[in-house]
Amino acid sequence: MTTAVTTNEVTLAVSTVIFALGPEGLRIPLVRRIRQPFEGQWALPGGPIETREPLEAAAGRNLLETTNLRSTYLEQLYCFGDVDRAPGERVVSVVYWALVRSDEAELAVEGENVRWFSADDLPPLAFDHNVIVDYALWRLRTKMEYSQIAHAFLGETFTLAELRRVHEAVLGRPLDPANFRRQVEASDAIIATEQHITGGRHRPPRLYRYDTSVALTDNGPLNKKSEARRVVS
Amino acid sequence: MTTAVTTNEVTLAVSTVIFALGPEGLRIPLVRRIRQPFEGQWALPGGPIETREPLEAAAGRNLLETTNLRSTYLEQLYCFGDVDRAPGERVVSVVYWALVRSDEAELAVEGENVRWFSADDLPPLAFDHNVIVDYALWRLRTKMEYSQIAHAFLGETFTLAELRRVHEAVLGRPLDPANFRRQVEASDAIIATEQHITGGRHRPPRLYRYDTSVALTDNGPLNKKSEARRVVS
DNA sequence: CCAAAAGTGTTGAATTTACACCCATGA
DNA sequence: TCATGGGTGTAAATTCAACACTTTTGG
């Protein structure tokens, strides 16, 4: 899966760190390498960059091919280019990170060479992929505190408790329900619907909808260029 | 200057946005292209990536070759890879941004094909370089608010007024001297020396020193790997 | 003494945090 | 009715912003 375009001197590849939120916390799909180097070890999904394919589309394609999922959020993480990342050859990897909705992640394919792991308990990965995942985790947690990316884990509508549990799972600490409610209400990123969820043994919570006129994250002049950055085919 | 390694299908290059702080604000050195495409137009300093050269070292080398300066701060900005960035061929550019000390920027070489421009008043640049500079400017201003990168513009010791003027120039708005003092003192990023600057027609200000045990910016697990990221040859 | 910038103090507003308390539902 | 989580109120603590005021130098 981590094949790549071979050039005269430098190999250019695209890899993607995919996050989904399960009951036990953050999970990441990995693929088993079927050739040397690191044959048999787990690695990030990655693939060749085709000549007329945008980098971001390559990341979205890798995602689709390995998990059969589409991402609600996709962003470039970093370009890794250390000379000794791969034994024997120079590989430069443009790495993206993606978030997929929890309900869709249930349907994700899993097989002999594709498996989901807990993000906090990964095996030793091929290349420098452990460092890459650490960095992606750090970015996810940092960005969660000042942006609205938590919505990317949820469906069209959601309760405030669901949204709060996303934050708690990613940040790894409990949040005060009362204060959390006020913070997200003050941010104007959500719109209250008139629907409520019944069936629980308690007061039915109101459903909210994400305000699509508010960008998930502020990347400055960059998301002006391609507004379709959020949803990738 | 924006030559690059030619591959089978994709060209990989490194470019650098260099910021210095002059009396009139932020300034950026550009180089004039001496070949097609965009011959004669101004562009970011960039160069080929050599097979056994780290990406960051390539950025530092471009910096040294075009301005004869060394950077006190160098960080990866983004990897630009749109298919139509360059006419006729696919070029993927790993872009870095750098800060150089104001006193050293005075010594920077300038010639027929290298000139410094005001960051807020750039001519139309080659390729997508205007977008790149806009993004670098946004990152600089955003990062200035929560990190300590302002020190990279200053020398070994500095007064609080000098530090404040850096912030004011980058952010483009005046800051309250009293509150600014308390903020940076509370951040523990600076150390008071016993030296003062005399000669002004006012009370001599105390000199401060940057606390090197505090990282300029928090990039998570990334600066653990190469601690020498701050000073580049 | 005066001007100018360094440096300190103070006050009110805004924000965060902790937690008490009421509401609506299923069993 | 009780248990449970949804939802509101509120007061203390902390941080932020504005600005008055004192200090120290050169002229």
Side-chain angles (χ1 to χ4, degrees), chain B residues 161 178 181-182 202-203 205-206:
Chain B
R181 160 184 301 272
R182 275 184 288 256
H202 50 76
R203 175 170 173 175
R206 182 188 292 266

Side-chain angles (χ1 to χ4, degrees), chain A residues 156 189 191 209-216 227 230:
Chain A
E156 187 71 17
I191 301 171
R209 180 186 311 281
Y210 173 63
D211 184 354
T212 53
S213 71
V214 178
L216 279 178
E227 191 53 44
R230 259 178 268 145

Side-chain angles (χ1 to χ4, degrees), chain B residues 99-193:
Chain B
L99 306 183
V100 297
R101 285 168 47 170
S102 306
D103 50 352
E104 292 191 350
E106 306 285 328
L107 315 171
V109 299
E110 202 165 11
E112 178 66 23
N113 294 321
V114 177
R115 197 180 301 171
W116 289 74
F117 292 81
S118 171
D120 292 312
D121 186 28
L122 292 180
L125 304 183
F127 307 104
D128 52 359
H129 288 190
N130 283 103
V131 172
I132 295 178
V133 172
D134 283 346
Y135 184 47
L137 266 171
W138 178 82
R139 272 273 279 274
L140 169 61
R141 291 186 168 127
T142 305
K143 209 147 194 171
M144 181 80 72
E145 291 180 348
Y146 67 89
S147 76
Q148 309 298 332
I149 49 176
H151 300 278
F153 283 120
L154 299 171
E156 186 71 17
T157 57
F158 47 85
T159 68
L160 286 184
E162 288 170 343
L163 182 61
R164 176 167 49 85
R165 269 183 276 273
V166 171
H167 278 84
E168 289 175 337
V170 173
L171 298 179
R173 58 185 161 91
L175 300 171
D176 185 296
N179 295 332
F180 180 81
R181 160 184 301 272
R182 275 184 288 256
Q183 282 171 11
V184 300
E185 278 176 347
S187 76
D188 286 331
I190 59 174
I191 301 172
T193 72

Side-chain angles (χ1 to χ4, degrees), chain A:
Chain A
M1 252 317 164
T2 316
T3 52
V5 169
T6 300
T7 69
N8 294 343
E9 301 166 312
V10 178
T11 296
L12 187 59
V14 170
S15 295
T16 309
V17 185
I18 302 162
F19 291 108
L21 199 54
E24 310 88 17
L26 281 172
R27 306 210 311 150
I28 296 176
L30 297 174
V31 298
R32 196 198 303 270
R33 284 187 59 79
I34 55 176
R35 70 182 69 176
Q36 289 294 344
F38 298 102
E39 182 174 345
Q41 284 204 47
W42 297 98
L44 291 171
I49 165 169
E50 295 179 5
T51 309
R52 298 218 40 87
E53 182 182 43
L55 297 176
E56 195 172 295
R61 187 170 47 79
N62 298 154
L63 172 61
L64 192 63
E65 287 172 355
T66 55
T67 66
N68 203 30
L69 293 178
R70 291 166 194 280
S71 175
T72 47
Y73 183 77
L74 184 62
E75 182 190 320
Q76 191 183 110
L77 178 67
Y78 198 77
C79 179
F80 293 85
D82 280 3
V83 289
D84 55 353
R85 298 181 61 235
E89 63 172 342
R90 177 77 187 274
V91 180
V92 173
S93 289
V94 185
V95 178
Y96 281 76
W97 61 294
L99 306 182
V100 297
R101 284 168 46 169
S102 306
D103 51 351
E104 292 190 350
E106 306 284 329
L107 315 170
V109 299
E110 202 165 10
E112 178 67 23
N113 294 321
V114 178
R115 198 180 301 170
W116 289 74
F117 293 82
S118 170
D120 292 313
D121 186 29
L122 292 180
L125 304 183
F127 307 103
D128 52 358
H129 288 190
N130 283 102
V131 173
I132 294 178
V133 172
D134 283 347
Y135 184 47
L137 266 171
W138 177 83
R139 272 273 279 274
L140 170 60
R141 291 185 169 128
T142 305
K143 209 147 194 171
M144 182 79 70
E145 291 180 347
Y146 67 89
S147 75
Q148 309 298 333
I149 48 175
H151 300 279
F153 284 119
L154 299 171
E156 187 71 17
T157 57
F158 47 86
T159 69
L160 286 184
E162 287 169 343
L163 183 60
R164 177 167 50 84
R165 269 182 276 275
V166 171
H167 278 85
E168 289 175 335
V170 173
L171 298 179
R173 60 186 159 92
L175 299 172
D176 186 296
N179 296 332
F180 179 82
R181 159 183 300 273
R182 275 184 287 257
Q183 281 171 12
V184 301
E185 279 176 347
S187 77
D188 286 331
I190 58 174
I191 301 171
T193 73
E194 291 311 311
Q195 299 171 291
H196 295 258
I197 287 193
T198 58
R201 307 166 46 165
H202 50 77
R203 175 170 170 176
R206 181 188 293 267
L207 280 175
Y208 289 82
R209 180 186 311 281
Y210 173 63
D211 184 354
T212 53
S213 71
V214 178
L216 279 178
T217 61
D218 182 12
N219 280 330
L222 229 50
N223 22 13
K224 283 184 199 155
K225 263 196 68 184
S226 78
E227 191 53 44
R229 177 147 302 166
R230 259 178 268 145
V231 181
V232 170
S233 62

Side-chain angles (χ1 to χ4, degrees), chain B:
Chain B
M1 250 318 163
T2 316
T3 52
V5 169
T6 300
T7 68
N8 293 344
E9 299 166 314
V10 178
T11 296
L12 186 60
V14 170
S15 295
T16 309
V17 184
I18 302 162
F19 291 109
L21 199 54
E24 311 89 16
L26 282 171
R27 306 210 310 150
I28 297 176
L30 298 175
V31 297
R32 196 198 304 269
R33 284 187 59 82
I34 56 175
R35 70 182 69 174
Q36 290 294 345
F38 298 102
E39 182 174 345
Q41 284 204 47
W42 296 98
L44 292 171
I49 165 167
E50 296 180 4
T51 309
R52 299 218 38 86
E53 183 182 43
L55 297 176
E56 194 172 295
R61 186 170 49 79
N62 298 154
L63 172 61
L64 192 63
E65 287 171 354
T66 55
T67 65
N68 204 31
L69 292 178
R70 292 167 193 280
S71 174
T72 49
Y73 184 77
L74 184 63
E75 182 191 319
Q76 192 183 109
L77 177 68
Y78 197 77
C79 178
F80 294 86
D82 281 4
V83 289
D84 55 354
R85 297 181 62 234
E89 63 173 342
R90 176 77 187 275
V91 180
V92 173
S93 289
V94 185
V95 178
Y96 282 76
W97 60 296
L99 306 183
V100 297
R101 285 168 47 170
S102 306
D103 50 352
E104 292 191 350
E106 306 285 328
L107 315 171
V109 299
E110 202 165 11
E112 178 66 23
N113 294 321
V114 177
R115 197 180 301 171
W116 289 74
F117 292 81
S118 171
D120 292 312
D121 186 28
L122 292 180
L125 304 183
F127 307 104
D128 52 359
H129 288 190
N130 283 103
V131 172
I132 295 178
V133 172
D134 283 346
Y135 184 47
L137 266 171
W138 178 82
R139 272 273 279 274
L140 169 61
R141 291 186 168 127
T142 305
K143 209 147 194 171
M144 181 80 72
E145 291 180 348
Y146 67 89
S147 76
Q148 309 298 332
I149 49 176
H151 300 278
F153 283 120
L154 299 171
E156 186 71 17
T157 57
F158 47 85
T159 68
L160 286 184
E162 288 170 343
L163 182 61
R164 176 167 49 85
R165 269 183 276 273
V166 171
H167 278 84
E168 289 175 337
V170 173
L171 298 179
R173 58 185 161 91
L175 300 171
D176 185 296
N179 295 332
F180 180 81
R181 160 184 301 272
R182 275 184 288 256
Q183 282 171 11
V184 300
E185 278 176 347
S187 76
D188 286 331
I190 59 174
I191 301 172
T193 72
E194 292 310 311
Q195 299 172 291
H196 295 257
I197 286 192
T198 58
R201 307 166 46 165
H202 50 76
R203 175 170 173 175
R206 182 188 292 266
L207 280 175
Y208 289 82
R209 179 186 312 281
Y210 174 63
D211 184 353
T212 53
S213 72
V214 178
L216 279 178
T217 60
D218 182 13
N219 280 330
L222 231 48
N223 20 13
K224 283 184 198 156
K225 264 195 68 185
S226 77
E227 191 52 45
R229 177 147 302 167
R230 260 179 268 145
V231 181
V232 171
S233 61

